Amino acid sequence: MDLGLADRTILVTGGSSGVGLATVRVLLDEGANVAACGRDAERLARAAATLDRDRLLTGACDVRDADAVRAFTERAADTFGGLDGLVNNAGQSRMKNLDESTADDWRDELELKFHGVLNPLHAARPHLAASSAPSIVNVNAVLAKQPEPRLITTSAARAGILNLSKSLATALAPEGIRVNSVCLGLIDTGQWTRRHAAAHTPQTYQDWQSHLATDRGIALGRLGRAEEAAYAIVTLLSPRASYITGTSIDVCGGVGRSIL
Ligand code: NDP
């Protein structure tokens, strides 16, 4: 099936690593124009060096900075003549329980998760509204439906974003803009290599991952690959998904226990 993404323009936040980078790669393979941002310009340049750069624009910006996000979004729309999709992917999780979480942790987490969606949304909205098939995908986590006490701030913020995504789908439907979520389980990216390094375990990364998959009860018995998440994101961006809005897809290898 042709996903109908050729020559469409998609902005991906956090496009220099992991799920975001895999999404950029799949979109380029589909013939889309891609604008990708992240905070670290060198990391972006290293990622771009592995990609076909003819249809790629990169820019360093922090999704918490509304002015920087707006400037990058305008540059993307000017460069490619509009915007058809937005992937709100930038972020990270905060491994802290209730007693470890300070007021600053709560404030920082809510700022990253909420403004990381709202800043790009406000900047992209007029351009998306002018597209013939606009779509927003919010990259979320199964934590949104299945909180973990060791990730208490992230779990709460994720639930809020899932709720917000539903409201956005309703609010933006009159403009033809679809809004959906992809809820990730454990995906093998920089997040997990960093945790393995921080654990100072004698286990190899491979053995540590296998143990993690068993410990967390992942039905498929392994962590997911970044491109497995990217395929779900790209499917929701496609005009072929034109009647799908206000919903979420779990990409989690069966770790999710929720039936809703
Ligand atoms: P990675 O750490 O591999 O990549 C994160 C990307 O986001 C990088 O490009 C990073 O670049 C960018 N980023 C982080 N903070 C900001 C910011 N404030 N402004 C702009 N860019 C930012 O993460 P993953 O690919 O694993 O995760 C992608 C998303 O999926 C995240 O939101 C994550 O929380 C979520 N998720 C991941 C899971 C997993 O198991 N991997 C599970 C559940 C959810 P830079 O650091 O240079 O800014």
Side-chain angles (χ1 to χ4, degrees), residues 14-19 38-40 43 61-64 89-92 112 139-141 158 184-187 189-192 194:
S16 59
S17 171
V19 172
R39 291 165 301 178
D40 183 338
R43 197 179 189 191
C61 82
D62 189 321
V63 289
R64 294 168 296 186
N89 163 77
Q92 59 193 38
L112 173 62
V139 178
N140 206 322
R158 290 296 189 196
L184 305 179
L186 282 69
I187 307 295
T189 65
Q191 301 223 5
W192 292 102
R194 286 194 295 272

Side-chain angles (χ1 to χ4, degrees), residues 18-118:
V19 172
L21 177 56
T23 303
V24 170
R25 191 169 278 123
V26 173
L27 286 168
L28 290 172
D29 286 349
E30 289 297 317
N33 305 310
V34 182
C37 73
R39 291 165 301 178
D40 183 338
E42 278 181 26
R43 197 179 189 191
L44 272 170
R46 276 198 306 276
T50 68
L51 300 165
D52 170 4
R53 275 172 277 182
D54 289 349
R55 285 177 283 105
L56 176 66
L57 173 76
T58 58
C61 82
D62 189 321
V63 289
R64 294 168 296 186
D65 180 341
D67 291 340
V69 170
R70 191 169 296 282
F72 180 64
T73 306
E74 290 305 316
R75 193 150 72 89
D78 282 353
T79 303
F80 297 121
L83 204 55
D84 303 286
L86 168 65
V87 181
N88 287 315
N89 163 77
Q92 59 193 38
S93 59
R94 192 173 297 258
M95 186 70 88
K96 287 192 175 183
N97 66 23
L98 177 63
D99 293 336
E100 293 160 342
S101 300
T102 64
D104 282 345
D105 286 321
W106 282 101
R107 197 168 24 247
D108 292 350
E109 188 66 8
L110 294 174
E111 184 191 9
L112 173 62
K113 295 298 185 300
F114 280 89
H115 294 293
V117 168
L118 292 169

